[in-house]
Amino acid sequence: MRLIIMGPPGAGKGTQATFIATTWGIPAISTGDIFRANLAQGTPLGLEARGYMEAGEYVPDSVTNSMVRNRLLEADTTPGFLLDGYPRTLAQVAELDSMLADAGQHLDCVVVLTVDAEEIVQRLLARAVKEGRADDTEEVIRRRQEVYAEQTEPLIEVYRERRLLCEVDGMGEVDEVTSRISDALTQVSEA
Ligand code: AMP
């Protein structure tokens, strides 16, 4: 299975991505996690990404695209993969199309978690206070949602037109959302 999971920041993509990856025996590839690991190790890539991440902006496409292209060449992606947090711009969609075409592959499904944006913002604000995340100010949290709405939400229509979309209600308990995604992907795999 070659999958994408999308949804606004705080929708629970990462949690669900881990579950999907385990169930389907594929790696979950989170561009945010790769950037954070590079940041923690102080690599040139991490240093380049840092300012954008801290401001809630997207890292430039050229940087992100080449990172993903390299990751998808690794052997563990042979049975498939789940992309979490990529693509996030129309230019990244085009680049992913070209990576897949080069490999003679196609996507099976794009899972979109639909959530109540304001409720998510309130949840993220509460978490920032509770966990003492000084960097997660209300301004940055709201900016991330804005950037998602401006740059990433339009991708939903692109994948809808390609008939690849699986929209899943992302509100409720984690287990409930997991079982909705599971049902949707089972349908895709049996189609
Ligand atoms: P995430 O954990 O997926 O929310 O990603 C954390 C941060 O990493 C984002 O706010 C961006 O600054 C950066 N990032 C992750 N994925 C991408 C992407 N596909 N394109 C650009 N920036 C990204």
Side-chain angles (χ1 to χ4, degrees):
M1 291 277 263
R2 294 189 186 84
L3 309 169
I4 293 172
I5 186 162
M6 282 178 60
K13 292 189 299 293
T15 307
Q16 298 300 337
T18 306
F19 149 75
I20 298 169
T22 307
T23 307
W24 296 88
I26 52 179
I29 300 174
S30 156
T31 43
D33 282 352
I34 301 175
F35 282 132
R36 276 184 290 275
N38 277 274
L39 204 70
Q41 289 162 17
T43 67
L45 177 67
L47 294 176
E48 193 169 1
R50 182 182 194 146
Y52 299 101
M53 293 174 75
E54 287 177 352
E57 303 291 337
Y58 286 169
V59 176
D61 285 336
S62 56
V63 176
T64 310
N65 284 334
S66 61
M67 185 176 88
V68 173
R69 190 175 272 277
N70 289 331
R71 180 64 186 86
L72 292 184
L73 292 175
E74 287 180 32
D76 64 339
T77 62
T78 305
F81 52 77
L82 169 66
L83 291 171
D84 164 12
Y86 182 93
R88 261 172 149 113
T89 64
L90 290 168
Q92 291 179 13
V93 170
E95 190 64 22
L96 177 61
D97 286 346
S98 125
M99 292 176 214
L100 291 168
D102 288 350
Q105 297 170 347
H106 64 270
L107 289 172
D108 294 294
C109 180
V110 177
V111 175
V112 177
L113 296 180
T114 55
V115 292
D116 177 332
E118 191 50 37
E119 194 174 322
I120 293 293
V121 168
Q122 294 307 326
R123 223 190 272 170
L124 290 174
L125 286 171
R127 188 177 74 181
V129 172
K130 196 169 146 215
E131 298 180 5
R133 299 184 183 206
D135 291 351
D136 274 4
T137 60
E138 175 157 4
E139 192 188 350
V140 171
I141 288 171
R142 291 203 182 273
R143 180 62 194 149
R144 286 201 192 102
Q145 303 291 333
E146 256 173 39
V147 173
Y148 176 83
E150 284 165 15
Q151 301 202 46
T152 305
E153 236 169 37
L155 275 52
I156 295 176
E157 288 315 308
V158 171
Y159 287 122
R160 192 193 308 282
E161 278 171 22
R162 297 187 191 181
R163 300 188 181 281
L164 283 173
L165 218 58
C166 288
E167 280 176 294
V168 173
D169 178 1
M171 300 305 284
E173 296 299 317
V174 170
D175 289 1
E176 289 169 355
V177 179
T178 301
S179 93
R180 287 178 204 135
I181 297 175
S182 201
D183 289 350
L185 290 179
T186 301
Q187 278 188 16
V188 168
S189 73
E190 288 171 354

